Amino acid sequence: MTTFTDETRERAREIIARYPADRSRSALLPLLHLVQAEEGYVSPAGVAFCAEVLGLNKAQVGAVATFYTMYKRKPTGDFLVSVCTNTMCNVLGGQEVYDTLSEHLGVGHDETTADGTITLEHAECLAACDYGPVMTVNYDFFDGVDPSTAVGVVDELRAGGRPMPTRGARLCTLKEMAVQLAGFADERDGAVADGGPGEPTLRGLRLAQQHGVSVPGFDPNTPIRSKAEADKAAAEAKAKAEAAKPAPAEASAAPVKGGDGASAPTGAAGVEPAKPAEATGSTAPDVKAPDDKSPQVRTAETRQPDADTAVPDAPGTKVPTETSPPASPDAREAEAAGAAANAPAGDGKPAGDSTGAQERNLNEASAGADGANSAAANETGAQK
């Protein structure tokens, strides 16, 4: 079982610290990239590591790791070569590029060459239709490829070279790329100074320059203020606006008599009383959302309010105010016994499953392979 380095554990703590204390589970995606950066793929040990540092079980981590194709579940080469075979690139020759590479390298989809250098895969879409057919090496683009140029790229990689992508920085290994995907800068000297945008990407800029189109008053050198600076500026603007408001008119102490001698409605002399606000048609209470919560947090709490954290910050939201009565001692004892009998989940095995049934099925299958014992095995299986 892999023992992750102190550097990886320190980086894991740094990743988790980026998120609120009660939202640490959000760190799972970059953590999976982090363990892939050390091993080259997300191994069972990597799943266990992520579960350990986030307080999850391995089934929860494994469900995420198997959902996204960027997380590899078996050892992968230094360079992941992805060829787009979706509609646009396919029409332009993407499938021919993939077939040629597959035959040249002697591997199929999601397979690695014997020297461990290249893993080949076909991709459904690489989001670069205007550059098709395209392929990527560790997610950096090689645009407008054909079978011969694609073969030239992989041959240079296998020879130890680093061909320059059409767009983006200079190539790095898959492990180095995984570090960047985990949220850490590329520390290679001058690594981000190479490359450049493609002409189709710059087409809009070229047209804007040609026709003199620009944003009025736009200054590209305007600094982006921090949240503290923005809050301070907003408070100063609010105070200035409050100071500029006219003072409210003094209300008359004595009632104003009407023409018939009756008292007029109470208010400023000669001023009509304020009319009630017009109804909006909504019966929901108008509750102001707290400023210290992001819209995402408020939305989540609105959809699934919790007695401890939810706030009535949206119309129609009912926040629970009562907690369930404490369970009886018998109920707590039964729950503890059930939890003790339900073993933690292992990789690829739901929580609580016993291996006894699996081993019995394997043994029966092995016995069934023997022609002399197949009938007896089938009869035994039927009885069970």
Side-chain angles (χ1 to χ4, degrees):
M1 184 174 179
T2 303
T3 301
F4 289 92
T5 63
D6 292 339
E7 181 183 13
T8 297
R9 291 185 174 274
E10 179 61 32
R11 282 178 165 173
R13 287 190 288 269
E14 182 177 340
I15 290 173
I16 295 172
R18 299 171 187 167
Y19 301 88
D22 58 342
R23 299 289 188 272
S24 61
R25 183 171 180 168
S26 300
L28 178 55
L29 296 181
L31 280 176
L32 287 169
H33 283 300
L34 182 66
V35 297
Q36 186 161 277
E38 181 161 335
E39 296 188 289
Y41 72 113
V42 179
S43 68
V47 170
F49 174 80
C50 293
E52 172 195 342
V53 297
L54 291 178
L56 304 175
N57 62 50
K58 291 185 287 186
Q60 291 171 310
V61 177
V64 175
T66 56
F67 181 83
Y68 296 101
T69 59
M70 293 180 76
Y71 302 124
K72 305 304 177 184
R73 298 309 304 274
K74 60 183 180 180
T76 306
D78 293 331
F79 300 98
L80 176 67
V81 177
S82 311
V83 182
C84 181
T85 57
N86 211 330
T87 306
M88 181 60 70
C89 285
N90 202 353
V91 169
L92 297 173
Q95 187 65 50
E96 184 181 357
V97 172
Y98 174 81
D99 292 340
T100 300
L101 286 179
S102 179
E103 182 178 354
H104 180 72
L105 296 172
V107 295
H109 170 66
D110 201 24
E111 294 180 353
T112 304
T113 56
D115 58 5
T117 303
I118 294 176
T119 296
L120 178 67
E121 68 176 8
H122 68 78
E124 282 303 313
C125 183
L126 294 177
C129 299
D130 47 351
Y131 295 98
V134 296
M135 76 177 191
T136 61
V137 177
N138 294 342
Y139 311 115
D140 281 320
F141 280 94
F142 289 82
D143 303 323
V145 296
D146 56 35
S148 61
T149 57
V151 168
V153 169
V154 297
D155 283 348
E156 186 174 350
L157 290 172
R158 299 183 78 178
R162 298 286 179 94
M164 190 65 200
T166 308
R167 293 174 286 132
R170 68 181 67 167
L171 285 183
C172 60
T173 65
L174 185 63
K175 290 183 179 180
E176 292 170 334
M177 177 58 70
V179 173
Q180 298 174 47
L181 293 174
F184 298 93
D186 190 343
E187 298 177 351
R188 295 175 298 157
D189 184 28
V192 296
D194 298 326
E199 276 304 313
T201 302
L202 296 175
R203 180 59 179 160
L205 176 61
R206 302 276 190 262
L207 289 173
Q209 293 172 339
Q210 179 182 348
H211 298 284
V213 178
S214 63
V215 179
F218 173 68
D219 181 6
N221 297 319
T222 301
I224 299 176
R225 294 182 297 184
S226 66
K227 185 179 185 302
E229 294 171 337
D231 291 343
K232 181 179 178 181
E236 292 175 351
K238 183 177 180 180
K240 186 176 180 180
E242 291 290 341
K245 285 183 178 180
E250 291 293 336
S252 176
V256 180
K257 297 292 183 179
D260 57 356
S263 297
T266 304
V271 180
E272 296 182 2
K275 296 181 180 180
E278 295 182 3
T280 60
S282 173
T283 60
D286 185 11
V287 182
K288 183 179 181 301
D291 294 333
D292 59 342
K293 289 196 175 184
S294 67
Q296 294 86 347
V297 172
R298 293 199 300 271
T299 300
E301 292 177 348
T302 299
R303 291 176 177 171
Q304 189 174 2
D306 179 81
D308 296 327
T309 60
V311 293
D313 60 351
T317 301
K318 182 178 179 182
V319 179
T321 57
E322 297 181 0
T323 57
S324 301
S328 64
D330 292 341
R332 291 197 298 268
E333 183 179 352
E335 182 179 356
N342 189 15
D347 294 328
K349 181 174 72 65
D353 268 8
S354 172
T355 59
Q358 299 177 14
E359 293 176 354
R360 184 177 63 251
N361 292 336
L362 290 174
N363 292 336
E364 291 178 358
S366 299
D370 187 351
N373 297 328
S374 61
N378 291 334
E379 182 178 356
T380 302
Q383 291 174 356
K384 291 184 177 179

